[in-house]
Amino acid sequence: MKVLANDGLAQSGIIALQESGFEVDLSTIAQEQLVDYLNSNEISVLLVRSATKVRKDIIDNCPSLKIIGRGGVGMDNIDVSYAREKGLSVINTPAASSHSVAELVFAHFFGMARFLHESNRNMPLDGDSKFKTLKKSYAKGVELRGKTLGVIGFGRIGQATAKIALGLGMNVVAFDPFIDAVNLEIEFFDHQALFFNINTISKEDVLKQADFITLHVPAQSDYVISTNDFEIMKEGVFLVNAARGGIVNEVALLEAIASGKISKAALDVFENEPTPEIQLLMNPDLSLTPHIGAATGEAQSRIGTELAQQIIDILK
Ligand SMILES: NC(=O)c1ccc[n+]([C@@H]2O[C@H](COP(=O)([O-])OP(=O)(O)OC[C@H]3O[C@@H](n4cnc5c(N)ncnc54)[C@H](O)[C@@H]3O)[C@@H](O)[C@H]2O)c1
């Protein structure tokens, strides 16, 4: 049986599938040619990340297709319920990248707290001629230790950020309308573990108390952070959105940065992906990454292994 990994697949997944007798095709087929390609090559499994869309045209017109697999979490690029109605299996790997996303959140927080995103832009330009000026510009750093992390959306990634924060000596407050309390297991390198109980509180209380805010909610129709939410926050807060574009109102965010309400913010995801607004790209108080939350070797390797295992379980 043939598997088309249209947006790529880690070596771990390729090997596991091949060892179970699958043929793995790593071609990248343009969206409009996918139906023809799937049919002429009798593809049984279509694996995608976020680039390839799997809509009704593919689901209705490709009889050889048995499984649609998403390497990662969000399945907004797949018509999941329609595919299941039509008898296809739709699989994903929801937990495989949580830790990678959580680490990216802290990469942004640490970077912003010490002006690294700005310093890395300006040192190559002015580091030899204006060293002392730059040193003064970046002199008012802050520590994370002792500060309060506010987590909005306390699922897999939200909890992974909380574990890192607790390890750093931060206080953690969280809001999630569907979770009342979580008993977090914080594992250490030598397999010792500590359990830490966190009761969620209201969104308003999180926004009032947090010095650092991180968002980990699924895609939804309304903004989760907009003008009135920024108004509730403390002055000079740091914010990261590594969840989905459209969670934060980007216009309101720029206003909150201009007013000083937000000290700095980081975006890994954008309302207009893959062409973010130029006002965001040019803002010196934004630390920016191009949707790379899950883009580590470790996460991709776990994704490959988990997808392969699910495919083998379904088809073998
Ligand atoms: N940046 C990246 O590359 C990257 C990688 C992986 C996942 N993600 C995104 O991260 C987000 C979280 O993923 P996850 O694995 O933690 O999902 P999850 O389903 O484990 O957790 C999401 C949580 O958000 C809660 N929630 C829903 N609506 C809410 C709201 N309005 N306010 C507060 N909480 C709300 C849910 O109850 C749930 O507990 C998703 O949007 C996912 O697409 C981004």
Side-chain angles (χ1 to χ4, degrees), residues 11-81:
Q11 201 61 24
S12 59
I14 298 171
I15 291 169
L17 287 168
Q18 286 171 341
E19 282 176 352
S20 294
F22 289 90
E23 200 180 305
V24 182
D25 182 343
L26 294 169
S27 312
T28 303
I29 309 301
Q31 190 72 47
E32 56 279 11
Q33 285 153 17
L34 255 181
V35 170
D36 282 348
Y37 191 89
L38 293 171
N39 286 332
S40 51
N41 292 279
E42 293 185 13
I43 301 289
S44 307
V45 182
L46 172 60
L47 299 182
V48 301
R49 288 182 184 149
S50 51
T52 305
K53 314 268 177 279
V54 191
R55 304 288 179 216
K56 288 183 180 177
D57 57 331
I58 294 177
I59 297 163
D60 283 339
N61 297 311
C62 300
S64 61
L65 199 57
K66 294 186 172 56
I67 300 180
I68 301 163
R70 159 75 159 105
V73 190
M75 299 215 278
D76 0 340
N77 54 325
I78 302 171
D79 283 341
V80 179
S81 37

Side-chain angles (χ1 to χ4, degrees), residues 73-74 76 94 97-98 101 104 152-158 175-179 216-220 224 242-244 268-269 291-295:
V73 190
D76 0 340
S97 60
S98 304
V101 180
L104 182 71
I152 306 282
F154 209 35
R156 287 172 291 256
I157 302 174
F175 164 66
D176 191 306
F178 303 103
I179 295 178
H216 300 292
V217 302
Q220 38 212 282
V224 173
R244 275 282 177 269
D268 185 50
V269 291
H291 205 151
I292 55 163

Side-chain angles (χ1 to χ4, degrees), residues 254 276-284 286:
L254 289 171
E277 298 298 337
I278 194 76
Q279 291 89 336
L280 298 171
L281 300 179
M282 300 305 290
N283 192 303
L286 283 175

Side-chain angles (χ1 to χ4, degrees), residues 259-294:
S259 74
K261 182 60 108 170
I262 293 284
S263 170
K264 292 184 177 49
L267 299 174
D268 185 50
V269 291
F270 301 85
E271 290 192 73
N272 274 337
E273 280 185 40
T275 51
E277 298 298 337
I278 194 76
Q279 291 89 336
L280 298 171
L281 300 179
M282 300 305 290
N283 192 303
D285 291 321
L286 283 175
S287 176
L288 302 165
T289 43
H291 205 151
I292 55 163

Side-chain angles (χ1 to χ4, degrees), residues 203-232:
K203 179 179 168 188
E204 191 176 343
D205 284 340
V206 169
L207 297 181
K208 275 185 188 160
Q209 292 175 27
D211 305 294
F212 293 81
I213 297 173
T214 188
L215 309 171
H216 300 292
V217 302
Q220 38 212 282
S221 46
D222 291 331
Y223 292 122
V224 173
I225 298 292
S226 198
T227 306
N228 38 356
D229 303 294
F230 286 116
E231 279 164 10
I232 301 172

